[in-house]
């Protein structure tokens, strides 16, 4: 199958530059590409492997050791007199649903059962050594696989200690991930491991869009001819990358350049020192790519635009972004280090745009129109302000806007806080997460089960125990090895934590319209969303006000979208509590069909009042009883305040079979305070 040429991709200049910089200098740390669907993210990553220079490997080594510098601890070593073989750089794709064994490798069961040998079978991390590991939809990757990637990225090695196997091998790779932010954000620890990040979108210019269609149709019609038409440009790009790699060790990164980089990173208040290191490496790679041996301010600017946006986030609801006006101001205040003439390269950046690839020259660095794509979504947390920026999540309080024409008001949320842990009862079997107890692929071993046709981790002790009674019948002598058969195999049953579906049902009617009350409601809902994000849950959001309950956000992993919907939520009108519960029941029914293993947790935020329709309160209690009959785990958060408390939310919780809390009891510190008060009493 032929790959769409890298140099034939239209637009996506920032992405092309980021991919090339991490290819020139793998120590930069890889690239995370964020963008809407249909923006050629995967196409471009797969095309990158075809323009990367070939590498030399030790013949017969499963771990791609470099013949000039073989790993002395290679499991296939030692390589005393290695025979070199040239092969293309690999691009290894890691599926979101991959098992742990497939990623890090495992015991070769065929060898173990066939000849009794304990042999390690390498995984995807070994295959990607000195190449590219590509994870599409990286934000949907299971936590236990994220942990493996973090270990490999931090150590440059993969270590396997399991089932009698103890193996460590080199795993230095270029990690590239693509994701659609609408489907959920990335775990902060893994986000920081990506050296560079890029935000891309489909072009809006009609001529550019037409060119995209024209090239795609031409490729689909005759892939061989299309690839041949770009062969010369691909070879030119391949040679330029190789030249930049060879030039990189000679690039001068002096004290002056380091001081500028430190000033920029300090001004943007990034966490830790990784941003400074990555920016320095990316600036050196950019200078080498532009054919220079000295780093200029344009190199630092290009590096900062790609290395800093995702490191400025202060909470998961903040969208990555960079104030480029501030970046320009910081760089303008610093004198540009005097560049020396390049060796073996163009005299300036303007003459380096001859690769034939649209956007492969300095345009993505110098062109301000293109670079503004990463500056959108800048966050503000100023007090007393609710932003209209669609990427903005405010945690301030005190500002209320009112629409007199519709008797609606939008109250800002109060400050978020750490919530108590709410779980579904019993033991589930959903995807690994951090909320409720479940039988998962990782965790504490609680038993064993026959292997059958299922996959999982081998339980060595139980396998031996199952085989032991049959040794005499199998003719095993005392000095012989243990004789195993397929029916002896036992897989470990492990108990950990699962992710759940947290369905928030929020009352936004007039009874919640008091400014302080609605601010508390939004703060509680946002805090629960933040907790759901950290526990890797899916979330859904139902709003009821006026005459109906509305599914404002279908169940998704993108809690930041739910946060924006809550921030912009107006309040006012009657209270259709029954309609909100009906909407919740239908949503849960559909999700049970789509994802039967994911257990839901229904969180109802209300004061219990119902004012829409005949017998509104009685009807809502009846529907609550029907919901209880489905067995859904529920939580009622009572937002009622004031002296004339009716206790309707508590009555509702009884009919729903739900845990009951007041809005003040959601925070974890409230629980701690209550326990301390009881002890003191």
């Amino acid at each position: 199958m032929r790959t769409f040429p890298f140099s034939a991709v239209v637009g996506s200049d920032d992405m092309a530059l980021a991919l090339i910089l991490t290819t020139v200098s793998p120590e930069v740390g890889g690239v995370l590409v964020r963008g809407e669907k249909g923006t050629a993210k995967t196409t471009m990553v797969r095309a990158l492997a075809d323009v990367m220079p070939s590498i030399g490997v030790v013949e017969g080594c499963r771990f791609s050791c470099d013949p000039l510098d073989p790993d002395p601890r290679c499991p296939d070593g030692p390589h005393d007199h290695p025979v070199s073989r040239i092969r293309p750089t690999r691009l290894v794709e890691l599926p979101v649903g991959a098992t742990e064994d497939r990623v890090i490798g495992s015991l070769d069961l065929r060898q173990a059962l066939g000849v009794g040998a304990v042999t390690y079978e390498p995984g995807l991390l070994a295959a990607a050594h000195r190449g590219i590991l590509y994870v599409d939809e990286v934000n949907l990757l299971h936590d236990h696989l994220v942990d493996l990637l973090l270990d490999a990225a931090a150590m440059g090695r993969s270590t396997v200690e399991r089932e009698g196997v103890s193996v460590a091998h080199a795993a230095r790779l270029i990690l590239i991930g693509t994701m659609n932010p609408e489907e959920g954000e990335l775990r902060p620890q893994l986000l920081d491991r990506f050296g560079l990040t890029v935000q891309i979108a489909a072009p809006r210019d009609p001529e550019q869009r037409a060119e995209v269609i024209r090239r795609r149709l031409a490729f689909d019609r005759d892939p061989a001819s299309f690839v041949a038409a770009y062969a010369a440009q691909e070879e030119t790009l391949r040679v330029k990358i190789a030249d930049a790699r060879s030039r990189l060790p000679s690039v001068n990164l002096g004290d002056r350049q380091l001081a500028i980089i430190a000033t920029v990173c300090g001004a943007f208040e990034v966490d830790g020192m990784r941003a400074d290191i990555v920016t320095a490496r990316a600036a050196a790679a950019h200078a080498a790519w532009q054919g220079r041996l000295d780093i200029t301010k344009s190199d630092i600017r290009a590096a900062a635009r790609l290395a800093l946006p995702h490191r400025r986030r202060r909470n998961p609801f903040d969208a990555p972004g960079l104030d480029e006006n501030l970046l320009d101001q910081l760089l303008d205040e610093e004198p540009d280090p005097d560049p020396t003439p390049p060796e073996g390269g163009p005299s300036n950046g303007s003459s380096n745009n001859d690769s034939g690839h649209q956007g492969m020259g300095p345009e993505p660095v110098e062109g301000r129109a293109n670079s503004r794509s990463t500056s959108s979504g800048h966050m503000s947390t100023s007090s007393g302000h609710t932003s209209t920026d669609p990427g903005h999540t405010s945690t301030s309080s005190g500002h209320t806007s009112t629409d007199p024409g519709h008797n609606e008001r939008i109250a800002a949320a109060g400050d978020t806080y750490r919530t108590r842990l709410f779980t579904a009862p019993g033991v589930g079997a959903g995807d690994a997460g951090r909320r409720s107890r479940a039988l998962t692929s990782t965790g504490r071993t609680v038993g064993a089960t026959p292997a059958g046709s299922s996959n999982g981790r081998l339980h060595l002790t139980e396998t031996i125990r199952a085989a032991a009674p049959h040794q005499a019948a199998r003719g095993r002598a005392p000095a012989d090895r243990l004789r195993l058969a397929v029916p002896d195999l036992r897989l470990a049953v492990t108990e950990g934590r699962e992710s759940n579906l947290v369905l928030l049902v929020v009352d936004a009617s007039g009874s919640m319209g008091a400014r302080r009350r609605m601010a508390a409601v939004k703060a509680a809902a946002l805090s629960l969303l933040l907790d759901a994000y950290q526990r890797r849950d899916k979330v859904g959001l139902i709003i009821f006000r006026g005459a109906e309950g509305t599914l404002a956000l279908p169940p998704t992993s993108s809690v930041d979208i739910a946060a924006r919907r809550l921030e912009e939520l107006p309040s006012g009108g009657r209270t259709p509590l029954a309609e909100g519960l009906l909407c919740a029941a239908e949503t849960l029914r559909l999700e049970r069909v789509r994802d039967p293993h994911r257990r839901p947790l229904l969180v109802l935020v209300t004061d219990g009042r119902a004012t829409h329709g005949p017998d509104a309160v009685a009807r809502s209690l009846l529907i609550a009883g029907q919901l209880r009959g489905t067995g859904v785990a529920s939580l009622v958060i009572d937002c009622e305040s004031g002296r004339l408390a009716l206790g309707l939310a508590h009555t509702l919780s009884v009919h729903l079979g739900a845990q009951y809390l007041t809005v003040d009891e959601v925070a974890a510190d409230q629980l701690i305070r209550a326990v301390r008060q009881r002890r003191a009493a």
Side-chain angles (χ1 to χ4, degrees), residues 460-654:
L460 189 59
T461 304
E462 291 301 320
T463 298
I464 294 173
R465 184 173 294 167
H470 307 290
Q471 296 307 296
R474 294 172 184 171
R476 175 178 177 261
D480 290 347
R481 293 173 176 168
L482 183 70
R483 297 194 176 185
L484 296 174
V486 172
D488 301 331
L489 294 180
R490 297 292 185 270
L491 301 180
V493 176
T494 53
E495 182 179 304
R497 295 279 175 177
E498 68 176 357
S499 63
N500 296 109
L501 165 61
V502 177
L503 184 60
L504 275 171
V505 184
V506 179
D507 184 352
S509 65
S511 67
M512 311 296 291
R515 184 174 67 184
R516 290 185 179 180
R517 186 183 303 177
M518 201 61 204
V521 168
K522 287 187 176 183
L526 284 170
S527 299
L528 289 166
L529 282 174
L530 180 60
D531 182 67
Y533 166 82
Q534 293 169 339
R535 300 186 187 281
R536 313 306 291 167
D537 295 316
K538 288 180 68 175
V539 295
L541 178 63
I542 291 175
I543 306 297
F544 59 95
R545 58 187 291 269
E548 61 182 0
T550 304
L551 182 61
L553 180 69
T556 176
S557 297
S558 185
V559 296
D560 56 332
I561 297 179
R564 290 200 295 270
R565 299 281 171 86
L566 275 170
E567 280 284 352
E568 300 161 2
L569 174 66
S571 59
R574 290 186 173 273
T575 310
L577 177 56
E579 284 69 21
L581 293 174
L582 284 172
C583 185
E586 178 63 13
T587 302
L588 292 174
R589 185 188 69 81
L590 293 175
E591 283 302 306
R592 199 173 290 116
V593 174
R594 294 191 185 103
D595 193 353
H597 296 296
R598 188 184 295 272
R599 294 189 294 165
L601 180 62
L602 176 65
V603 181
L604 179 60
V605 186
T606 180
D607 58 7
R609 289 181 172 85
T611 60
H612 173 71
D615 298 324
V617 174
R619 200 157 53 93
S620 62
L621 295 180
L622 176 63
I623 297 171
Q626 295 172 351
L627 260 174
R628 179 178 186 173
T630 65
V632 60
S634 304
L635 170 68
V636 171
I637 298 177
D638 188 355
C639 301
E640 191 172 40
S641 61
R643 297 179 180 178
L644 301 177
L646 301 178
L648 295 175
H650 184 270
T651 303
L652 180 66
S653 70
V654 173

Side-chain angles (χ1 to χ4, degrees), residues 105-109 112 117-121 162-163 165 458 460:
S106 63
L107 178 68
D108 190 335
L109 293 180
V118 179
T119 306
Y120 171 69
E121 184 177 6
R162 56 191 302 177
E163 291 110 22
V165 175
L458 180 69
L460 189 59

Side-chain angles (χ1 to χ4, degrees), residues 211-278:
E211 183 61 22
V212 171
I213 300 171
R214 188 177 299 112
R215 295 190 185 188
R216 186 71 231 187
L217 294 178
F219 175 78
D220 293 341
R221 184 168 52 250
D222 189 353
S225 298
F226 188 86
V227 170
Y230 285 88
Q233 297 179 22
E234 294 282 277
E235 180 60 26
T236 300
L237 188 56
R238 191 178 298 111
V239 170
K240 287 185 62 178
I241 291 174
D243 289 344
R245 278 187 171 183
S246 63
R247 188 179 300 115
L248 182 64
S250 302
V251 172
N252 177 36
L253 182 61
D255 292 341
R256 186 59 183 163
Q257 291 93 336
L258 290 176
I260 296 175
I261 291 171
T263 299
V264 169
C265 293
F268 281 108
E269 299 180 345
V270 295
D271 293 330
M273 294 298 300
R274 184 173 286 119
D276 304 61
I277 296 171
V278 171

